[in-house]
Amino acid sequence: MVHVRGNGSGIRTAAAVTGLGCALLLTGCAGGSADDSAPATHDPIAVANAPAQLPVPSGKGSEAADDFNGDGHPDLVLNDLVKGPDDTHGDDAGIGIVYGSARGLTPGARQLLSPSRQAAPTDGRLPAVFDAEASGDLDGDGFTDLVVSTDPPYNGQGMPPVPLQILFGSPSGLTGKAVKLAIPAQARFGNDWPDQPVPGDFDGDGATDLVVHASNGQLSYLRGPFTRKGAPRAAGAPLASPGNVPTGPAADVNDDGYDDLLVRTAEGTAESAIVLGGPAGPTRTGATLPTGIDVALGNFGKGKALDAAVGAMGGTSLRYDLPGTARSSLTTAGSVLDAGDFDADGLSELVASGSELRLLRGRTTGPSTAGMVTVQPPAQGTTRVLTVADFTGDGLADLVVRTYPGETKDTVALYPGAKAGLVAKKPTVTFSTSEFLQTDS
């Protein structure tokens, strides 16, 4: 199940949160509940301030997605960290990583990635912006790597410098200095900033490639694996594209062994199209999707091919078969979408957020409002989905959301998947991103 976020970012960070501080109750999950009638087992940890920092679990490498330390458990990436009401500086606080473990998502095992410590300088100057954009195992060593966007200095003449940098995963997680992504001259086009990175195996050779926006409907296609200096194995001339905003994460929508790419014509509300992968990379335009604010891919019906749900303004989600034409439509309160199999029945549930946070149960004929589950946010405020992934290791997708009561406060909460009820009624993990700044990482 894949969520393709409308802002072009492959990082699921709400889309990426209330400095709860001393009022926080932090819970470490020890496995999701398979039945919503029985609460998941977990050990609550009452804290007087940010919880004591735990070491990052050490791994040996894995094929799990978003597994920066290679221990087989997905990790969580967070942008736009809350700095608290007393912070008057506008500098980017950095990127927060919460590491997973056999017990599930563990907020104590957290890491702050800051431009002052991790970013590579350009012309002797460190960037002020340091935002997570996409993740994938770019060098093929079994540890997920993180692609970060920066703001290198530019004089406004000719091609701007590449703003993307790579932090490589390791048994200790994301450590060391980032390296600049190297885009060969023949793969660049025009004078746009080369951004919107989307990792995926688009040519089916088993190595992770990278697609980056070039200019004027052109994409830079960089074949993996990448070196530790940020250089691709190969790169040719830019590829023609039906839009300017490649959007991740990539997915094999037609089950042919090649990852495919969703490309939007613009950010925000826009049309989009699926660009199909093949031996030469993402070169063939497949299904065209209607105007919408967001797109989620999932197994919404029968067959191995994925389906698309398009979230439109006004709360209407159109469901499409890929490849194919409009299959059905439904009306729901949310237009920002995600997808996941929360009850392990082989069909994706559709998550819609907006005025409410709703899970539409998967059916063989597509997601349905019958039996729809409304999730109670962990706090008052605007709530958005961060990601859907199996953090508890029980085979059920879990839901991670972020609620903003105000500009200086937030709450991140994990709701375990459940065979009955789709998700637990209450979160088993809650924390604030302000905790990243309360400890010296």
Side-chain angles (χ1 to χ4, degrees):
M1 285 67 64
V2 179
H3 173 228
V4 182
R5 193 163 295 287
N7 64 5
S9 173
I11 297 296
R12 300 168 186 155
T13 58
V17 178
T18 197
L20 295 183
C22 60
L24 181 70
L25 178 69
L26 180 66
T27 59
C29 180
S33 171
D35 187 331
D36 194 40
S37 63
T41 57
H42 58 280
D43 300 322
I45 305 170
V47 293
N49 210 307
Q53 189 136 12
L54 301 174
V56 173
S58 181
K60 297 181 179 180
S62 80
E63 296 183 358
D66 296 329
D67 183 12
F68 303 110
N69 58 334
D71 65 349
H73 306 290
D75 309 314
L76 180 66
V77 182
L78 295 151
N79 280 324
D80 303 320
L81 306 180
V82 167
K83 292 183 283 186
D86 297 330
D87 193 304
T88 59
H89 301 288
D91 296 339
D92 190 345
I95 302 163
I97 308 293
V98 178
Y99 287 89
S101 70
R103 300 183 63 219
L105 196 62
T106 308
R110 63 187 180 275
Q111 181 183 22
L112 176 64
L113 307 173
S114 66
S116 62
R117 294 182 180 180
Q118 275 80 29
T122 299
D123 295 337
R125 195 182 85 182
L126 288 171
V129 174
F130 205 59
D131 290 331
E133 292 289 343
S135 59
D137 186 2
L138 297 177
D139 59 351
D141 64 352
F143 301 90
T144 303
D145 310 309
L146 186 66
V147 183
V148 177
S149 179
T150 68
D151 60 339
Y154 176 49
N155 61 9
Q157 303 297 317
M159 283 188 176
V162 177
L164 302 174
Q165 301 187 6
I166 303 172
L167 278 166
F168 289 99
S170 74
S172 301
L174 295 166
T175 59
K177 285 278 188 180
V179 300
K180 299 175 186 178
L181 174 66
I183 303 180
Q186 71 270 16
R188 296 197 61 178
F189 179 83
N191 294 332
D192 285 357
W193 290 88
D195 56 8
Q196 308 291 352
V198 180
D201 183 10
F202 301 106
D203 57 7
D205 66 352
T208 300
D209 312 313
L210 199 61
V211 167
V212 177
H213 163 68
S215 294
N216 300 328
Q218 303 283 317
L219 300 178
S220 297
Y221 172 49
L222 312 176
R223 293 180 184 258
F226 288 72
T227 70
R228 282 298 181 115
K229 293 184 178 180
R233 175 178 60 86
L239 303 177
S241 168
N244 281 314
V245 187
T247 305
D252 184 1
V253 301
N254 55 358
D255 196 39
D256 65 351
Y258 302 97
D259 277 345
D260 308 307
L261 177 70
L262 184 121
V263 178
R264 300 173 66 84
T265 56
E267 294 189 11
T269 301
E271 294 181 347
S272 56
I274 300 293
V275 179
L276 301 174
T283 59
R284 300 170 296 134
T285 300
T288 299
L289 301 177
T291 298
I293 196 170
D294 206 3
V295 178
L297 304 179
N299 299 103
F300 297 128
K302 294 181 179 179
K304 294 183 179 180
L306 296 182
D307 309 302
V310 180
M313 296 300 291
T316 300
S317 300
L318 303 173
R319 184 211 158 194
Y320 276 61
D321 281 340
L322 297 177
T325 56
R327 170 83 178 264
S328 61
S329 63
L330 55 86
T331 300
T332 181
S335 56
V336 180
L337 306 178
D338 216 315
D341 187 359
F342 295 93
D343 54 3
D345 66 351
L347 296 172
S348 300
E349 276 69 51
L350 181 65
V351 183
S353 62
S355 59
E356 291 183 305
L357 186 58
R358 300 179 172 189
L359 275 66
L360 282 64
R361 193 177 295 273
R363 308 287 189 190
T364 56
T365 55
S368 172
T369 55
M372 179 176 60
V373 173
T374 301
V375 178
Q376 181 66 38
Q380 300 244 335
T382 302
T383 297
R384 289 290 182 265
V385 176
L386 277 171
T387 190
V388 174
D390 181 13
F391 290 100
T392 57
D394 59 0
L396 308 177
D398 307 314
L399 178 66
V400 182
V401 303
R402 189 177 186 180
T403 298
Y404 297 84
E407 292 184 0
T408 60
K409 294 183 177 182
D410 73 341
T411 303
V412 177
L414 182 147
Y415 295 79
K419 288 184 178 294
L422 299 183
V423 294
K425 295 185 185 300
K426 295 182 179 181
T428 54
V429 176
T430 59
F431 63 94
S432 168
T433 64
S434 64
E435 294 169 13
F436 287 96
L437 306 178
Q438 295 182 39
T439 53
D440 184 1
S441 303

